[in-house]
Amino acid sequence: MGAQSYKKDSLQIKSYTLIEYRRSEVKSVKLLRVICDYCTDIQKEVIGIEATRRAKSESYEPKNRLKEGDKKLAIYIRIAKKDFAAIKEDE
């Protein structure tokens, strides 16, 4: 009995974010780019919102914190193909 492969029914989408630290505090979290050749604009927007949310959460991790400066993070989002296909522009 083999392990179930997540690759068959899900997609992994990479995005880049930037966390700006000033005096050890998070000043801002920005989405730099969503890497997805087959995404529509609305799908990129939804993935970008989730990536930004995850980056905000990651900004409190000690390994990511800076006293001063900018921290670039690559955020990988895994989503089921059926959920991805359901992201459509509101009609």
Side-chain angles (χ1 to χ4, degrees):
M1 206 168 162
Q4 182 180 352
S5 173
Y6 57 82
K7 291 181 180 180
K8 288 182 183 177
D9 60 354
S10 68
L11 302 168
Q12 179 173 290
I13 301 167
K14 185 177 186 178
S15 54
Y16 291 103
T17 58
L18 181 76
I19 305 168
E20 191 178 336
Y21 289 96
R22 296 297 174 259
R23 295 187 189 111
S24 299
E25 295 293 323
V26 177
K27 183 178 177 194
S28 68
V29 178
K30 297 176 187 167
L31 177 69
L32 297 178
R33 187 168 179 212
V34 175
I35 311 295
C36 183
D37 294 336
Y38 45 83
C39 294
T40 64
D41 287 342
I42 198 75
Q43 289 168 328
K44 282 185 179 182
E45 184 179 332
V46 170
I47 296 295
I49 291 168
E50 177 62 16
T52 304
R53 187 190 69 75
R54 290 186 187 186
K56 284 179 186 174
S57 177
E58 287 284 325
S59 71
Y60 297 105
E61 291 288 326
K63 66 181 179 183
N64 293 325
R65 293 195 67 85
L66 298 174
K67 289 184 187 249
E68 197 76 24
D70 299 335
K71 173 81 173 184
K72 289 183 182 178
L73 281 181
I75 304 287
Y76 293 89
I77 296 176
R78 183 163 300 285
I79 185 169
K81 287 180 182 177
K82 63 180 179 125
D83 293 339
F84 180 76
I87 301 172
K88 295 179 181 164
E89 202 166 344
D90 293 337
E91 296 174 12

